[in-house]
Amino acid sequence: MTAIRRDIRFLLNDDEIRLEAVGPNDTLLDHIRLARRLTGTKEGCAEGDCGACTVLIGRLTEKGLRYEPVNACIRLLASVDRCHVVTVERLAGPHGLHPVQQAMVAEHASQCGFCTPGIVMSLYALWLSVPEPGEAEIETALQGNLCRCTGYQPIVDAARAACALGNPAEDFLVTGREAIAAKLTSFDGARVEVEKDGARAFLPADLEDFAELRADMPEATIVAGATDVGLWVTKEMRDISPAIFVGHLTELKEIAEDEAGLTLGAAVTYSEAAASIRRMFPHLSEFWPRIGGWQVRNMGTVGGNIANGSPIGDTPPVLIALGARVILRHREERRILELEDFFLDYGRQDRKPGDFLEAIHIPRPAPDTLNAAYKISKRRDEDISAVCGAFALRLDGDTVASVRIAFGGMAATPKRARGVEAALQGKPWTEETVAAAASAFAGDFSPIGDWRASADYRALIARNLLLRFFYETSDIGEPVRLSAMPVPEAAGWT
């Protein structure tokens, strides 16, 4: 019989916390501010967009204790079981401000101060993991932190200056690492069941336990990174009970690279997947850091982005173009689907009651495949796609031997442009062929207009992205390329 624990256990700065009355809708930010009165962590947008609520979360992994900045406003409290939560209050010590805080003061990097604690926490995470960051790494670390009055140059200067003001090896998260890891390990990994006001939250002990729970409670909300579910709570005030939290399950965090391709467990975060994605699919090196901000990439999962079924999710068009497949599971039974067949209609996926997404397999592209992925949004960083287009092309000489084109933001689901593909197949890869094939977009998609983009704009963008892909894969012209923004190995400090 599965052992059951009736409380969540975690470390908050230097204190051990045990809570029995926890509901699935409770957020980490509310607990920090309201229950613990640690009000340095601010609430701004309540949707993981502004970064004012940034804290560090330390969790045990196969490689040791890993710390990452996350958004406390959409991080649900139940999910921090067996974690170490670090807030801005812990940084200053008996001898004064932390080096990052000192640098912020010295460089005049704060005015109203509301966003400052979150910025400090993001730069603290960078300081721990990248001793001498370049400007691109600093900007990437700050993607998820908005400042409305100071301007970013003093903040970037502070990130540089902090390197000269302290030694990360002497930081309490380094010197106390073994003791912290030992304490987290002492919190047993039994199934957790907690409840408040009739609302229930479950943390399965392992993957097998989750499979049984899911089959027994097909109506339950599955919570992995909560970058979307968190907004159901904070913006839509939805009751997500009963909820099953799966972000801690090591079996769903496995990453396997082989000659056949890349297999990601459904709970692998964008940050965890980044290194493998860059190695195996280099055309995504610029695309991947544009998924959310750093905090969102540390929380959000590839599997969640797929299972959510959003027509504007960033990863489904990219993975469809690459020929990805998903592995669905119900208890011990598994079935494999082409990713494009998983999406049935808006809000509907090919998922039977009790099914869950276990893994995603992305085939390794043939060496001669030409690939590209483009994201069009109002803001370059940390913004939702208006249109996302992905392309995979193989040529036989100058003739199109095979082509896969997929788009998000153009239909009720992420979808292939099969009419365009048919118009290109077997034809010479020329500007005339591409221009003629682009007319087939009208038969493939009927985009809607919303506040992100009008229907006409989306249709125009799709045609232009096909043309851009042609220019980038031919000798005609020198198209402008967006500069690469490297992901700092600040995807977490271990």
Side-chain angles (χ1 to χ4, degrees):
M1 180 177 291
T2 302
I4 296 176
R5 172 157 50 90
R6 302 289 180 181
D7 61 10
I8 67 166
R9 303 173 186 179
F10 62 98
L11 300 179
L12 177 57
N13 295 326
D14 298 321
D15 299 326
E16 179 181 333
I17 308 295
R18 298 193 178 203
L19 301 172
E20 295 181 1
V22 178
N25 284 48
D26 293 345
T27 68
L28 175 60
L29 181 60
D30 281 349
H31 181 77
I32 289 171
R33 289 182 56 84
L34 303 180
R36 301 295 162 180
R37 305 306 298 170
L38 297 173
T39 54
T41 306
K42 305 303 182 186
E43 180 169 17
C45 64
E47 60 184 34
D49 219 18
C50 74
C53 67
T54 302
V55 299
L56 258 61
I57 297 283
R59 56 187 175 86
L60 295 169
T61 72
E62 292 182 352
K63 296 182 179 180
L65 187 56
R66 178 186 178 99
Y67 285 88
E68 299 166 312
V70 304
N71 297 118
C73 67
I74 55 173
R75 182 70 183 242
L76 299 178
L77 182 59
S79 71
V80 301
D81 185 64
R82 303 185 77 200
C83 291
H84 182 203
V85 180
V86 184
T87 71
V88 70
E89 285 86 356
R90 181 60 181 83
L91 266 61
H95 303 295
L97 295 176
H98 186 276
V100 173
Q101 295 170 314
Q102 291 179 36
M104 290 286 287
V105 173
E107 298 296 332
H108 306 286
S110 176
Q111 287 191 41
C112 80
F114 191 85
C115 65
T116 302
I119 288 172
V120 165
M121 294 306 289
S122 291
L123 293 184
Y124 174 46
L126 182 66
W127 179 83
L128 282 169
S129 52
V130 184
E132 296 183 5
E135 186 163 330
E137 290 168 312
I138 295 169
E139 290 180 357
T140 301
L142 291 170
Q143 282 176 321
N145 294 90
L146 301 183
C147 177
R148 298 302 190 192
C149 53
T150 303
Y152 287 93
Q153 189 59 54
I155 299 170
V156 172
D157 292 341
R160 290 196 189 97
C163 301
L165 295 177
N167 181 2
E170 298 173 355
D171 189 80
F172 76 98
L173 286 185
V174 179
T175 59
R177 177 181 178 183
E178 291 186 8
I180 295 169
K183 188 63 178 177
L184 296 179
T185 302
S186 73
F187 298 154
D188 69 75
R191 178 200 289 183
V192 174
E193 296 185 8
V194 287
E195 180 178 343
K196 188 171 79 174
D197 299 329
R200 298 179 298 157
F202 300 83
L203 282 79
D206 53 31
L207 183 59
E208 302 308 313
D209 189 29
F210 171 45
E212 293 301 314
L213 269 175
R214 176 60 172 166
D216 292 340
M217 292 191 296
E219 77 284 2
T221 305
I222 299 177
V223 183
T227 53
D228 192 52
V229 173
L231 273 69
W232 298 358
V233 172
T234 62
K235 295 298 183 181
E236 300 178 21
M237 308 302 173
R238 285 166 59 174
D239 179 8
I240 63 170
S241 177
I244 304 174
F245 290 79
V246 300
H248 63 291
L249 296 177
T250 57
E251 301 97 328
L252 292 183
K253 287 193 162 290
E254 294 177 355
I255 300 175
E257 297 180 34
D258 56 30
E259 288 304 311
L262 175 65
T263 301
L264 301 174
V268 171
T269 66
Y270 303 116
S271 290
E272 290 167 335
S276 294
I277 290 291
R278 289 198 303 271
R279 274 193 299 272
M280 298 195 68
F281 313 103
H283 70 287
L284 296 179
S285 295
E286 295 179 10
F287 180 92
W288 209 255
R290 294 191 60 204
I291 301 173
W294 190 15
Q295 298 92 323
V296 167
R297 291 193 297 274
N298 290 335
M299 293 172 58
T301 66
V302 180
N305 199 229
I306 292 170
N308 171 284
S310 170
I312 51 173
D314 286 331
T315 63
V318 171
L319 300 181
I320 288 172
L322 288 169
R325 298 185 296 276
V326 292
I327 297 135
L328 300 174
R329 178 171 170 179
H330 184 280
R331 297 194 195 273
E332 295 303 317
E333 296 181 3
R334 292 175 175 85
R335 58 193 179 102
I336 300 174
L337 287 178
E338 297 293 325
L339 178 55
E340 62 206 77
D341 297 331
F342 177 66
F343 304 107
L344 302 178
D345 201 348
Y346 183 77
R348 288 182 56 231
Q349 299 87 45
D350 187 354
R351 209 169 34 208
K352 300 172 183 176
D355 278 359
F356 66 91
L357 178 61
E358 184 174 34
I360 306 101
H361 177 74
I362 314 166
R364 185 186 292 271
D368 58 348
T369 305
L370 302 171
N371 292 288
Y374 309 108
K375 174 175 176 174
I376 306 301
S377 55
K378 288 182 174 292
R379 203 168 55 208
R380 174 171 172 81
D381 294 322
E382 199 180 31
D383 201 2
I384 296 172
S385 297
V387 175
C388 178
F391 303 81
L393 171 75
R394 292 184 66 219
L395 297 175
D396 182 3
D398 293 329
T399 302
V400 176
S402 66
V403 61
R404 292 175 67 95
I405 300 172
F407 275 87
M410 293 287 290
T413 65
K415 183 182 173 187
R416 282 178 68 177
R418 291 188 177 276
V420 177
E421 293 174 0
L424 292 170
Q425 186 70 38
K427 304 288 177 56
W429 186 236
T430 64
E431 192 168 8
E432 293 75 15
T433 299
V434 169
S439 63
F441 275 119
D444 286 330
F445 301 109
S446 298
I448 63 169
D450 57 25
W451 66 271
R452 289 190 184 89
S454 68
D456 289 343
Y457 177 77
R458 285 186 160 110
L460 176 62
I461 283 294
R463 295 194 297 271
N464 285 348
L465 288 181
L466 175 61
L467 190 61
R468 175 180 174 178
F469 178 61
F470 167 74
Y471 284 132
E472 292 184 347
T473 55
S474 70
D475 297 329
I476 300 176
E478 293 292 335
V480 176
R481 288 181 178 272
L482 298 175
S483 59
M485 179 174 288
V487 179
E489 293 307 330
W493 171 75
T494 302

